Amino acid sequence: MSLLVVGLSHRSAPVSVLERAALSADAQIKLLQDTVAAEPVAEAAVLATCNRIELYADVDKFHAGVAELSTLLAQHSGVGLEELTPYLYVHYEDRAVHHFFSVACGLDSMVVGEGQILGQIKDALATAQELHTAGRLLNDLFQQALRVGKRAHSETGIDRAGQSLVTFGLEQLSSGAPADAWLKGKRALVIGAGSMSSLAAATLARAGVAELVVANRTFDRAERLATLLAEQYGQRPAEPDDVDVLARAVPMESVPDELTRADVVVSCTGATGLVLTADLVAEAVEGRTGAPAVERAAGSDSDSDSDSDSVRSGLPPTSVGSEDGCPLDLSAVQGSAVQGASGFSVMGEAAVAGMDAATLEQHAAWVDNGTVDRREGRRTPEIDTDAVAALAAAAATLGRVPERRRPEPVAEVPRPLPVLSLLDLAMPRDIDAAVHRLLGVRLVDIESLAEASADAPMAADVDQVRRIVSDEVAAFDAAQRAAHITPTVVALRAMAADVVASEIARLDGRLPGLDDKQRGEITQTVRRVVDKLLHAPTVRVKQLAAEPGGAGYADALRTLFDLDAETVAAVSRADDDSRDHNSAALGGLDFGRENFDSNNFESAENRGRA
């Protein structure tokens, strides 16, 4: 059996595809059940976050496994296989391990180095254990990934390279200002009470928001989160810089009212539809400002692009001279001036810049009080000569060469700050993307975060984390190869123990007069002889099995000692059951390296001696 991962993430697929492929909790359960029921799959686990969906499986055939996992992902996500396939990536065996360890360290996250992924991996393992879809391989893999992630964060400065998606999103909302300073004293609304929403609420509380409101469809969960926040951050401050946050819970029905009071909104729910529509946000803005929410002009990207008509009315008039009979389109020229072009006279150089020759000729004639209009006809050298003569006459009439006039000052237009800042961390999205067109509203969602994170600088510690990942992948591969031979070694020890027991029983029949002390000494001697004979070959075969290509040594050992294949398989099944029981008892929190190695070869030898 071999490890296979098929998935898609923000690195391989656009946000629009990720949004449609997002899996609900029920869909993840059904996907796991259908995956382990598939012919080439023995184990399965799903890692589904706001920016990735990955299906991990232990398969016996690569091509059949890829086809099966891809089809199941398409079926349960609702995105057609033909549409989904171009965005899928596949990793196999050691490359799959390397990818997963990189994910656990935050190297593959939208915000490099963020630590939230560890909690999401732990949740994925707990779900697979609860549904009994994770066996020895995936239990080992996920628990080792959790240790690798913790090691990366404790031994390096990867935390400086990245931050949580919540913090990154809030920094995008603050437009480059320190998020803590920007948030201090604001009123915040958090929609949802899951892990991401809880992290957002804690982040807002630490930043010192004046009020924190939690809304959730299950009111009890919102109330529990608000209570925890109030206990931790709501106490009266002992020092002037300490936070003192008013935290309270409200039902989802109260969200429209809370929107009219909130300055910052963070939403991350598991809803399949929109939680905040554009109309709802527009009504909230109207309730805050007392004026109807107005959409930005097409092509506007920021809150500074207010109503163009009001901007233009506030600018000083542009001097365009006399327009009687002028062949220029003065309304277009005046509009370009409003947009920031230099002021000009219709007789100056700026007025004729970029003009074709025929129109230039007509303009020259107009300047010289002529009435020439030859734009429709074919121009001749004589006409070009006339045009030059007309321009010369214009210069003689004016007494100077027409020149560009000094630009007139442009009035500064006040740029309003947004009255409502929205952060959407849900996938699929909670907030209608159309709200970004509302004046006074700033929206940051997964799509805009993906664009912003593409330019985020990488920390020097990332290289060190990559080295840790490579070392841990090698160690994991060696441990898996060694574990592959463990059932064979245990079966060999068990066979030797049976031979010793049989011979001692035969000795008792031939020498019935032996007392207990004598029988014990003989038994111990025989066991020591067997142990010494088996020690060197079993230790050596363990060392060889841990090396690349060492899997064949288990087969050789079974052949040399004529071990029954069913006995070896039974030992392996019992070993898996024991590991599953230990993992369940630990609730998926088996972080200790000593627990990972508790089923090592020495303990296997000890079981063989028993």
Side-chain angles (χ1 to χ4, degrees):
M1 304 298 283
S2 301
L3 178 65
L4 174 67
V5 55
V6 177
L8 67 162
S9 73
H10 65 100
R11 295 186 183 273
S12 68
V15 173
S16 58
V17 175
L18 281 173
E19 185 177 33
R20 292 170 51 210
L23 298 172
S24 65
D26 291 339
Q28 293 178 42
I29 292 174
K30 190 67 169 63
L31 174 59
L32 281 176
Q33 293 171 338
D34 290 350
T35 301
V36 293
E39 181 180 352
V41 179
E43 307 175 33
V46 174
L47 179 61
T49 71
C50 59
N51 52 31
R52 78 176 62 251
I53 304 163
E54 296 179 340
L55 182 55
Y56 291 80
D58 187 7
V59 300
D60 59 2
K61 299 181 182 69
F62 172 74
H63 293 290
V66 171
E68 192 68 42
L69 267 59
S70 301
T71 301
L72 288 169
L73 275 174
Q75 289 177 353
H76 290 276
S77 68
V79 180
L81 182 59
E82 291 185 358
E83 182 181 359
L84 192 65
T85 298
Y87 304 112
L88 293 177
Y89 48 77
V90 175
H91 298 294
Y92 190 55
E93 293 186 334
D94 58 338
R95 290 185 64 85
V97 177
H98 189 281
H99 168 76
F100 191 43
F101 287 2
S102 298
V103 169
C105 293
L107 293 180
D108 197 59
S109 296
M110 185 179 296
V111 180
V112 174
E114 59 93 10
Q116 293 168 249
I117 188 65
L118 289 175
Q120 293 162 335
I121 290 174
K122 185 178 71 174
D123 292 342
L125 175 59
T127 299
Q129 289 174 341
E130 183 180 351
L131 297 174
H132 304 289
T133 63
R136 181 188 61 81
L137 176 60
L138 292 186
N139 270 300
D140 288 352
L141 176 71
F142 273 65
Q143 290 175 6
Q144 182 76 348
L146 290 169
R147 284 190 292 272
V148 174
K150 291 182 66 178
R151 180 187 170 192
H153 284 279
S154 63
E155 295 183 11
T156 74
I158 189 68
D159 292 323
R160 296 193 301 268
Q163 56 209 316
S164 74
L165 199 61
V166 173
T167 305
F168 187 63
L170 291 173
E171 288 187 352
Q172 297 304 305
L173 280 180
S174 65
S175 301
D180 287 357
W182 176 74
L183 287 168
K184 196 170 186 65
K186 283 184 166 57
R187 294 185 296 271
L189 169 64
V190 175
I191 304 177
S195 58
M196 184 72 78
S197 298
S198 299
L199 177 61
T203 302
L204 292 166
R206 284 195 301 269
V209 294
E211 182 183 40
L212 184 55
V213 179
V214 180
N216 193 57
R217 295 192 184 281
T218 305
F219 180 72
D220 289 346
R221 295 190 64 185
E223 199 168 32
R224 284 199 298 271
L225 178 56
T227 300
L228 289 173
L229 293 169
E231 291 175 352
Q232 187 166 0
Y233 301 103
Q235 70 275 10
R236 186 173 298 279
E239 300 293 338
D241 293 335
D242 288 350
V243 296
D244 184 15
V245 179
L246 172 63
R248 56 188 177 88
V250 298
M252 286 293 289
E253 294 75 16
S254 300
V255 166
D257 292 333
E258 295 297 336
L259 280 177
T260 64
R261 305 177 65 252
D263 301 306
V264 181
V265 179
V266 180
S267 185
C268 186
T269 73
T272 56
L274 294 175
V275 175
L276 299 182
T277 63
D279 290 341
L280 184 61
V281 175
E283 291 175 4
V285 172
E286 182 177 350
R288 287 287 297 272
T289 63
V294 181
E295 289 195 359
R296 295 187 180 92
S300 173
D301 294 328
S302 68
D303 296 295
S304 61
D305 299 322
S306 55
D307 186 6
S308 59
D309 292 336
S310 62
V311 173
R312 293 180 182 179
S313 63
L315 295 177
T318 304
S319 173
V320 295
S322 174
E323 62 178 292
D324 294 339
C326 179
L328 300 180
D329 183 357
L330 291 182
S331 60
V333 173
Q334 184 176 7
S336 67
V338 172
Q339 295 299 325
S342 301
F344 61 90
S345 163
V346 294
M347 295 185 180
E349 292 176 354
V352 297
M355 189 181 297
D356 62 73
T359 307
L360 177 64
E361 179 184 352
Q362 185 182 15
H363 182 267
W366 172 77
V367 172
D368 197 31
N369 297 321
T371 57
V372 180
D373 188 357
R374 299 191 176 106
R375 282 177 293 180
E376 300 299 327
R378 178 181 178 86
R379 290 182 288 109
T380 64
E382 289 75 18
I383 294 175
D384 291 338
T385 302
D386 291 343
V388 172
L391 286 173
T397 301
L398 295 173
R400 58 179 175 81
V401 176
E403 60 184 9
R404 189 185 305 273
R405 297 180 59 184
R406 184 182 300 278
E408 298 182 5
V410 178
E412 290 291 334
V413 180
R415 301 190 172 192
L417 294 175
V419 298
L420 186 60
S421 299
L422 306 172
L423 176 58
D424 186 359
L425 298 176
M427 183 63 68
R429 69 187 73 204
D430 280 347
I431 304 175
D432 190 348
V435 306
H436 84 279
R437 294 198 298 266
L438 297 176
L439 289 174
V441 176
R442 176 78 188 277
L443 171 64
V444 170
D445 55 16
I446 292 295
E447 190 166 11
S448 58
L449 286 176
E451 295 174 357
S453 64
D455 299 325
M458 300 283 283
D461 299 273
V462 169
D463 289 338
Q464 186 178 351
V465 173
R466 287 176 177 152
R467 288 192 293 270
I468 290 175
V469 168
S470 296
D471 293 344
E472 291 285 355
V473 169
F476 182 82
D477 287 345
Q480 290 301 303
R481 289 191 296 269
H484 179 69
I485 206 171
T486 298
T488 301
V489 173
V490 172
L492 175 61
R493 289 287 185 179
M495 184 191 73
D498 289 341
V499 171
V500 170
S502 176
E503 290 301 316
I504 294 299
R506 192 174 67 85
L507 183 64
D508 284 343
R510 296 180 60 182
L511 300 173
L514 292 175
D515 57 28
D516 291 341
K517 181 177 180 180
Q518 293 171 328
R519 186 182 296 105
E521 287 291 338
I522 293 173
T523 300
Q524 189 65 24
T525 299
V526 174
R527 283 179 174 170
R528 280 198 298 267
V529 170
V530 172
D531 283 344
K532 288 182 178 181
L533 288 175
L534 292 181
H535 177 73
T538 53
V539 168
R540 185 61 181 147
V541 78
K542 287 182 286 185
Q543 294 171 345
L544 294 172
E547 297 176 359
Y553 289 101
D555 297 331
L557 201 62
R558 287 193 295 268
T559 301
L560 288 173
F561 287 93
D562 195 23
L563 297 176
D564 181 46
E566 181 56 33
T567 300
V568 175
V571 172
S572 181
R573 287 194 297 271
D575 184 47
D576 288 347
D577 292 341
S578 175
R579 298 170 81 90
D580 290 344
H581 174 74
N582 291 337
S583 296
L586 292 168
L589 298 176
D590 180 20
F591 294 133
R593 191 172 297 274
E594 68 278 6
N595 290 325
F596 178 76
D597 295 333
S598 64
N599 197 23
N600 59 19
F601 295 121
E602 297 306 319
S603 60
E605 290 182 3
N606 291 335
R607 288 197 298 273
R609 293 191 183 100

